[in-house]
Structures are given as structure tokens and as C-alpha cells.
Amino acid sequence: MRHIISILIENEAGALSRVAGLFSARGYNIESLTVAPTEDASLSRMTLVTRGSDDIVEQITKQLNKLVDVVKLMDLTEGPHIEREMMLIKVRAVGGDQRDEVKRMADIFRGRIIDVTDSTYTIEVTGDSTKLDAFIQALDKGLILETVRSGVMGISRGEKALRI
Amino acid sequence: MELTGAEIVVRFLQDEGVEHLFGYPGGAVLHIYDALYKQDKVKHILVRHEQAATHAADGYARSTGKPGVVLVTSGPGATNAVTGIATAYMDSIPMVVLTGQVPTSLIGNDAFQEVDAVGITRPCVKHNFLVKDVKDLASTLKKAFYIAQTGRPGPVVVDIPKDVTANRTKYVFPKTVSMRSYNPVVKGHTGQIKRAVGMIMGAKRPMLYTGGGVVLNDASKQLIEFARLLGYPVTNTSMGLGGYPASDRQFVGMLGMHGTYEANMAMSHCDVLVAIGARFDDRVTGNVQKFCPHAKIIHIDIDPSSISKNVKVDVPIVGSVEHVLKDMLKLIKESGEVPDGDALAKWWKQIDEWRAKDCLKYDKSSELIKPQYVLETLHKITKGDAFVCSDVGQHQMWTAQFYKFDKPRRWINSGGLGTMGFGLPAAMGVQFAHPKANVVCVTGEGSIQMNIQELSTCLQYGLPIKIICLNNRFLGMVRQWQEFFYDRRYSHSYMESLPDFVKLAEAYGHVGMQIDKPADVEAALKEAFTKHKNRLVFMNFLTDQTENVYPMVPAGAGLDEMILV
């Protein structure tokens, strides 16, 4: 099962390495990890996507909670939530037909072209991870020059909030 | 008045009530050593290797419950300390290790004696800090001591760059500490405790399985009251020995790989298992698929991540052993309920049948010294009241089996990490904490050589430790596995070219004794503990080379599948 774990962690040097080190030391896998400070500069919010059986994910959350720098955490996948990821993708776009086709595809996926040269487009797409996967699938593989994905971030729906 | 960082370190240690500091000087900590020189409140113990400093602090902590404190320099000082830090981490021992670091301006430059101490120790500490500003020094030290001692205890490293020890700031001893991200639970959940008590009172074949948590939490008193009130059998893990008196009839011995037949059989047949401050270590459970197949399991532990890590439990209770047992006792007493006497009588009858197997028997008529006999005699001579520090291997298991510990904090061994070389330095720490007590180091010719240089420290501080070296000229536990599982191919387990330990002890300024006949064992031990009471005695017992530790649960087997003698 895929789990999205949101963590509030002290914004201190080494905090990230404690989380990353925990995963490598105990053989858990990290699918993606994003981190940035919150509105309170002393706190960072981390979103971590991992896969594992219920037992393993239970251990992961317990071990994370045990880290002294971790203030609070929540497994977003336990309730209704929204997840988003951003992708920047640079594609070859030469000649009218190719440029039209790429533009059309970007529109279908509600992407925005954010950089243009006479031979390339750079497109920004946001959505959940499967949508970004689908966009990559929809493009002609030979056209893709570079992709960069932010990794997943997420938030729970409704009143529920991860805050101290 | 403003103090330098070095003065703050020393003043803080004084104010925190630290009496002993185990360490070794070097470039990055010279300012701190200079500040130590100018005072005499904190007694610094100069070891001969940084690993020994950590083990000594560890032994000090295990025998007192107070945190052990270590001071080492940067680079090799820090890396040498890592084994001792990892040892303490595995056994949840409160310890604060101060490591020197190169000046902040040089961090990351591959400076002389620079290592990333915080990075290297991260996986084997409860927490660690790098102090970059002298203004943060006192509060960081306070946090380190707080974290080390609360919740599930553990080692904390504080890495202090040299310039931080030179810079000045105002010093105020931080009396309290508050950390929003760290609030260990103490009280157990009332509902869970109720459920557990219901299960415990309804048990037909109950079993209390208790570990190091009882000792660390000083909850021995509560455990004894709890067990006696119910009349249930008690087994201890290696880390838990002494938490329940071994001479008590309800005690069925240690469990696990080298546990007693009765303890392991009772585990395999019980219907309600109460795990108290124990973590279902693989040396305890054997094959987890076959572990306690008939039992509902209740698990009391201070660390939520210990629960359902190795074995799924039915009633988890997160809290300190002391508090949870107190709450349980109160509930039981108020309810007026009593255990099922008939079922319990039947259960004890069964356990006594298992006990009658006498699984720890050994050949008492041998012409060679049996290690078990040495330990039984040691128990007799010291009236079971010595602090016994052990190294790692066969002698460790024999000590656990044959030195019947009746009190907590008397049995000092590296249970989790299994660190050879632990025994002697740990014994030093214990002797500093208990100057008048009998302190014994049970070791083998393999383990003792891993930190033998500490004989020099023992002379400097006049530590009258009694070293019981069970010398079988083999790395015995390795040899035993090779005999059982590798068709007697004794690959590199024979110890050749051993030193003359008697002369070696004498060269270090101590008393050396060699004992090679069973008939001499008792007299030699008596002599060591009376005539040489105030001196370190190295007793080299030449023991039977073929002796094995029984019973043994082979790796991967269930607890009821023991190899018996």
C-alpha cells in the first residue's frame, strides 16, 4: 500500500538526514520526499511517500515519531486528502505540426507552457502523481528532453489539520 | 560574568551533579581539559582508549541509574567512542558523550582530526547535537541530559567545536527544559490497563516475561509485588536479570537461546503472556512464527515503536513499567479478584516437571575446571551480592545462568550489541560508583584482550576489580557454533600465542593467579576476595575446552526445540 506521511519537524540542520537515515537504516523505501519551511519558520513540513504492508507503515510512523526533531505527523492516506505534484517538462517542439500537437496535449492536461524557444517548449503540469504519469505517457517519448518532478505534497480535506 | 565555552561545560557538569567524567584529552578539547584542571568537583577518569571511556560510563550508568558522562576529542576520539555509544544505545543506557570538534570555520574542510561526529553517531544515538554558538551551549547540554534520562533512555552526543569552547557568554544553569517535539509518555492508557488486567486474572497458564525495562525503570519492587500477588511464574531476559530475584521459587530462569528448559517450555505453552519492559529480541523469541503459539500477549513498554515490532500483541500498553504495574496492582486489589487456583496449581505442576529435567546440569566429577563450577563458586564466595560485569561469549551466558542475581543493577552486560571488550571498562565504571562493593569482571581470553590496556587505568585509580578469566583457549561461542553447525571446522576460533596472563597482570602492577584444577577454584577465589581484597586480581582459570552452553535454541528454531546437554 502507498502511504503519504506528512511530518512537522524542527527546522534544524540535520533534521532531514535523520529522516532519510532512518529509512535507509531500517530498510524502508522512500518513493518521494519534499520539504520546506512552513508559515512558522521554526518548523518544516515534510511530505513523504512510502510503500509497505500495514505492519511496516505502522513501524515507520512510530519510528518517525520517536525522532526527537519530529513534532507531529499524520498519515494522510488514512482519511480524505488531496495530493499534488508539480512537473516541469521540456520537450522538443520544431515545426508547426509538432508545436501544435504539444500545445494541444498541454491544454488537455491543463498544463501551461512557461518557456518557449524555436525548438523547445517547457510545460508546467500539476496534479496527482498518476496524472503526471499519464501526461508523460501521452507525449511522444522521443520528444522529451528533460523532466523534473517536485515529489508529492498533500493536505487533508476539511477541518482536519496538521498543526501544533 | 562571562565564561568561556570550556568553563561553561565544566560549570554545567558541576551544576548537573556529575561526579565522574570518563575521558581522554586531545587537541579539540584542550580548552575543556584546562577548565577541568582548575576545579576538583567533577572527577575526571583518564582511560587508555576512548572505547573504554564509553563502556566505563555505561557501567557507571547501569549500576546507578544516573547518566554516564564521557569526554573525548574530535576525529579518532569520536570514532573510538562509537562502539561504546552503540552498545549503550542497544541496551537503552542513559549516557551523555561530549565530543570535541574542529573549529566551526574549519568544519567540512577535512581539517586535522575532523570527522562528522554527528553524522557518524546518528544511527546509534537517541539524539545528537552540534553546538555552533556558545550561547546555545548550556541549554543544549541540559537537553542532552534530559533526553538521555527520560522516556526510553539512551546515549546523546554533543559535538562541540573548539572555537565554541573559547568564546565567551553569560552562564546561567538552565534548571528546566521544555521541548515541544519531545514529550515521553509515562502513564499507561487506563482502558488498556483494564483490559490487560481482565486477561491476566482469567489466565489458566500465565507467564510473566520481563526485561531490561524493569531494571532501567527501577520497577523491581512493583514487579515483585505484582508477581507474588498473582503467584505466576516469572522469566527474565538477559537484560532483565536481577529485576526479579533468581532465588525465588516463582523464578523459572532466563529464557531464549540459552534460556532454561522450563522457561522456554512455559513460554511455548502459556495462554497469557505479560511482556514487561522487554522487546521480543530475536535471541529471546527464536522463530517468531513458533513463538508463544497459544498465548494472548500483553506488552508494557515505554517505547511505542517496540510494540508489535517483532511479535504482534493483543493488548499494547505504552507507559513506564513502574506506573503501569502500580495501576494494575491497584485495579487487582480493588476488584478483590483472585487467580484461578486450580488452573494455577496444574500449571505449576507442569512447570515443576520441566524443571526436574535440571537443564543446567554439568559434569561435576570432571578433572578439568568446568566454567559453570567457577561461577557457582563465585556466587557462593561473594554471597550473590557482587556487581558482575561480563564480556561477550560463552562465559556471558554461563554467568547469566549460574550467578543467581537477586537484585537489579548487579548484572552488567552488553546484551543487545554483544560487544566484546565491554567487561573490564564497564567494571571500572561500576567500581567508581560503588568503591566499597565487590566488582567482578567475568571474561574470556578473547574478550579481555580487546580492552586489556585498561589494566593500566585500574592501577592508576586503585580499582580492586576481580577479573575471572574463563580461559579455554578458544573463542568459545564461535567454536560452539562451528561444532554444532559447521561440522567442527574450527575456522579461526582457536586462540594461539596467548600471553602469560599472570605475568601480564603483574607487569601492569596487579596480582595474577593461575588456576588449573577444580580443587583449587574455591581457595583461589577466597584468596582473591580476602587476602587481595584491595587489589585487582587477574584470575586465569584454565577451563575445559570442550564445554558448551546448554540448553541451546538453534537459530530459526522454536523455543521448545532446544538442544539439551
Side-chain angles (χ1 to χ4, degrees):
Chain A
M1 251 288 270
R2 178 170 174 269
H3 289 256
I4 304 172
I5 299 169
S6 281
I7 307 163
L8 284 177
I9 190 165
E10 296 287 355
N11 185 10
E12 274 173 16
L16 176 62
S17 73
R18 289 182 207 279
V19 173
L22 170 68
F23 274 71
S24 64
R26 294 191 182 264
Y28 308 141
N29 74 75
I30 300 182
E31 220 167 82
S32 76
L33 175 66
T34 69
V35 55
T38 63
E39 78 281 6
D40 170 354
S42 70
L43 276 179
S44 288
R45 169 126 173 188
M46 202 178 265
T47 310
L48 197 151
V49 179
T50 184
R51 268 175 206 282
S53 64
D54 289 351
D55 292 354
I56 289 181
V57 173
E58 184 185 331
Q59 262 304 306
I60 289 175
T61 53
K62 283 175 173 176
Q63 294 290 347
L64 283 168
N65 258 319
K66 205 165 127 179
L67 293 177
V68 169
D69 282 338
V70 169
V71 182
K72 215 170 180 185
L73 69 78
M74 186 195 267
D75 183 348
L76 289 180
T77 27
E78 278 177 356
H81 64 281
I82 300 156
E83 64 170 281
R84 285 290 180 273
E85 187 177 358
M86 179 187 279
M87 175 166 67
L88 305 179
I89 182 162
K90 189 179 287 181
V91 293
R92 176 73 63 212
V94 182
D97 285 358
Q98 208 180 63
R99 290 174 85 87
D100 287 351
E101 172 61 16
V102 171
K103 172 84 171 69
R104 237 187 334 268
M105 204 55 84
D107 288 342
I108 292 170
F109 281 85
R110 293 171 202 230
R112 294 193 302 139
I113 295 172
I114 53 171
D115 186 56
V116 178
T117 69
D118 51 11
S119 59
T120 65
Y121 280 157
T122 300
I123 306 159
E124 172 194 312
V125 197
T126 56
D128 64 21
S129 303
T130 52
K131 176 184 162 184
L132 304 192
D133 293 342
F135 184 60
I136 291 173
Q137 288 294 319
L139 289 172
D140 180 347
K141 252 209 179 83
L143 296 181
I144 299 174
L145 297 172
E146 192 179 353
T147 62
V148 50
R149 297 172 70 148
S150 64
V152 172
M153 54 181 189
I155 197 161
S156 50
R157 286 186 182 273
E159 280 288 319
K160 203 169 169 193
L162 179 63
R163 57 204 296 264
I164 52 170
Chain B
M1 197 185 79
E2 294 206 327
L3 299 182
T4 66
E7 289 162 348
I8 289 174
V9 169
V10 174
R11 272 285 296 277
F12 177 86
L13 294 178
Q14 293 173 349
D15 293 347
E16 185 67 24
V18 174
E19 288 167 11
H20 293 90
L21 174 62
F22 301 88
Y24 204 100
V29 286
L30 280 176
H31 294 321
I32 301 176
Y33 272 85
D34 195 46
L36 280 170
Y37 188 81
K38 296 169 184 162
Q39 57 88 53
D40 53 12
K41 258 179 141 173
V42 179
K43 192 177 176 205
H44 178 271
I45 316 300
L46 178 67
V47 293
R48 300 299 181 263
H49 186 292
E50 287 91 347
Q51 184 191 350
T54 50
H55 291 328
D58 184 324
Y60 182 90
R62 287 182 204 238
S63 68
T64 60
K66 293 191 279 188
V69 190
V70 176
L71 172 61
V72 295
T73 193
S74 64
T79 55
N80 278 344
V82 168
T83 301
I85 295 169
T87 304
Y89 181 65
M90 285 292 271
D91 291 343
S92 309
I93 305 305
M95 187 191 277
V96 175
V97 180
L98 312 178
T99 53
Q101 183 54 277
V102 301
T104 44
S105 59
L106 290 181
I107 289 180
N109 282 14
D110 299 326
F112 178 64
Q113 293 195 329
E114 178 185 2
V115 293
D116 173 10
V118 166
I120 286 176
T121 58
R122 197 193 58 228
C124 60
V125 293
K126 186 168 170 189
H127 197 57
N128 58 18
F129 297 95
L130 168 65
V131 184
K132 282 188 166 159
D133 187 335
V134 69
K135 291 193 183 70
D136 300 330
L137 186 54
S139 63
T140 305
L141 289 169
K142 186 70 194 177
K143 279 182 193 167
F145 275 83
Y146 174 63
I147 292 170
Q149 298 173 78
T150 48
R152 179 177 179 173
V156 178
V157 166
V158 184
D159 199 30
I160 312 175
K162 189 167 185 181
D163 55 327
V164 171
T165 64
N167 294 342
R168 288 174 178 277
T169 191
K170 230 179 117 193
Y171 168 75
V172 185
F173 178 68
K175 285 207 177 63
T176 57
V177 56
S178 95
M179 297 176 71
R180 63 180 170 187
S181 61
Y182 177 74
N183 300 292
V185 179
V186 178
K187 287 284 278 179
H189 186 277
T190 322
Q192 291 292 82
I193 291 175
K194 246 186 213 149
R195 266 182 73 203
V197 166
M199 215 176 254
I200 290 167
M201 299 314 287
K204 308 278 179 211
R205 300 185 308 281
M207 190 71 187
L208 308 179
Y209 143 57
T210 83
V214 173
V215 177
L216 290 167
N217 196 211
D218 292 315
S220 188
K221 198 176 130 226
Q222 285 74 26
L223 173 64
I224 293 169
E225 191 185 347
F226 183 72
R228 296 227 171 112
L229 180 70
L230 296 166
Y232 291 177
V234 183
T235 181
N236 286 168
T237 67
S238 163
M239 291 306 298
L241 291 174
Y244 192 82
S247 58
D248 190 272
R249 208 195 90 80
Q250 277 170 249
F251 186 65
V252 297
M254 182 171 77
L255 82 164
M257 185 171 272
H258 294 296
T260 64
Y261 183 72
E262 51 271 34
N264 286 340
M265 291 304 279
M267 289 294 285
S268 300
H269 289 83
C270 66
D271 72 341
V272 172
L273 178 71
V274 192
I276 307 174
R279 62 184 176 92
F280 298 88
D281 173 83
D282 57 280
R283 285 297 193 263
V284 157
T285 60
N287 184 340
V288 286
Q289 311 299 333
K290 300 177 181 172
F291 180 74
C292 294
H294 315 291
K296 289 262 183 244
I297 303 178
I298 297 158
H299 188 185
I300 306 167
D301 204 294
I302 190 97
D303 177 5
S305 73
S306 279
I307 287 171
S308 291
K309 182 172 70 179
N310 302 331
V311 170
K312 272 261 163 220
V313 301
D314 300 283
V315 185
I317 303 170
V318 177
S320 86
V321 170
E322 186 196 0
H323 276 87
V324 174
L325 285 182
K326 270 185 186 162
D327 288 349
M328 284 184 162
L329 278 165
K330 193 160 164 251
L331 267 183
I332 296 170
K333 285 176 187 163
E334 281 172 5
S335 75
E337 272 185 73
V338 288
D340 179 342
D342 291 346
L344 200 54
K346 238 172 98 186
W347 179 228
W348 271 114
K349 190 165 165 276
Q350 171 67 73
I351 289 171
D352 286 337
E353 276 168 34
W354 289 323
R355 213 178 230 168
K357 270 223 160 177
D358 192 13
C359 67
L360 297 180
K361 61 178 175 272
Y362 62 91
D363 179 8
K364 292 190 178 166
S365 59
S366 172
E367 297 195 348
L368 299 168
I369 297 180
K370 291 288 183 181
Q372 300 96 322
Y373 173 65
V374 177
L375 294 163
E376 278 185 334
T377 314
L378 175 70
H379 183 267
K380 190 172 126 191
I381 300 286
T382 56
K383 301 187 176 65
D385 203 30
F387 287 87
V388 182
C389 305
S390 149
D391 263 307
V392 170
Q394 286 184 316
H395 63 266
Q396 177 188 24
M397 290 299 106
W398 282 317
T399 314
Q401 292 173 336
F402 287 90
Y403 197 99
K404 309 287 183 195
F405 291 93
D406 277 341
K407 290 181 193 165
R409 300 196 180 278
R410 289 290 202 273
W411 164 234
I412 314 283
N413 89 122
S414 168
L417 198 66
T419 309
M420 289 172 71
F422 173 81
L424 178 58
M428 299 182 338
V430 174
Q431 190 81 76
F432 276 110
H434 309 274
K436 296 231 155 59
N438 282 329
V439 178
V440 180
C441 166
V442 179
T443 185
E445 80 290 346
S447 286
I448 192 67
Q449 291 189 86
M450 285 211 184
N451 265 322
I452 193 133
Q453 76 285 345
E454 296 308 316
L455 286 175
S456 173
T457 313
C458 293
L459 183 71
Q460 180 174 346
Y461 296 97
L463 304 176
I465 295 163
K466 304 295 177 273
I467 298 174
I468 312 288
C469 182
L470 300 173
N471 182 346
N472 61 358
R473 286 78 74 208
F474 268 110
L475 299 175
M477 193 55 97
V478 174
R479 190 202 56 75
Q480 178 168 342
W481 281 62
Q482 288 171 337
E483 180 185 332
F484 287 4
F485 311 119
Y486 294 88
D487 208 13
R488 295 170 192 252
R489 289 185 298 279
Y490 297 128
S491 181
H492 298 272
S493 53
Y494 182 65
M495 285 258 111
E496 280 183 73
S497 307
L498 286 170
D500 179 334
F501 284 112
V502 172
K503 278 191 189 154
L504 187 75
E506 287 167 1
Y508 272 108
H510 303 300
V511 180
M513 290 167 84
Q514 176 123 322
I515 305 96
D516 51 16
K517 282 193 284 298
D520 297 339
V521 168
E522 187 165 345
L525 281 166
K526 264 190 195 147
E527 186 184 331
F529 282 96
T530 51
K531 186 176 161 200
H532 303 303
K533 188 172 176 20
N534 297 320
R535 295 191 63 188
L536 185 146
V537 185
F538 191 116
M539 309 187 74
N540 190 36
F541 291 93
L542 296 180
T543 60
D544 184 350
Q545 294 188 282
T546 62
E547 191 57 49
N548 288 322
V549 183
Y550 294 106
M552 177 173 188
V553 179
L559 282 185
D560 55 352
E561 300 167 317
M562 282 162 277
I563 304 173
L564 295 169
V565 66

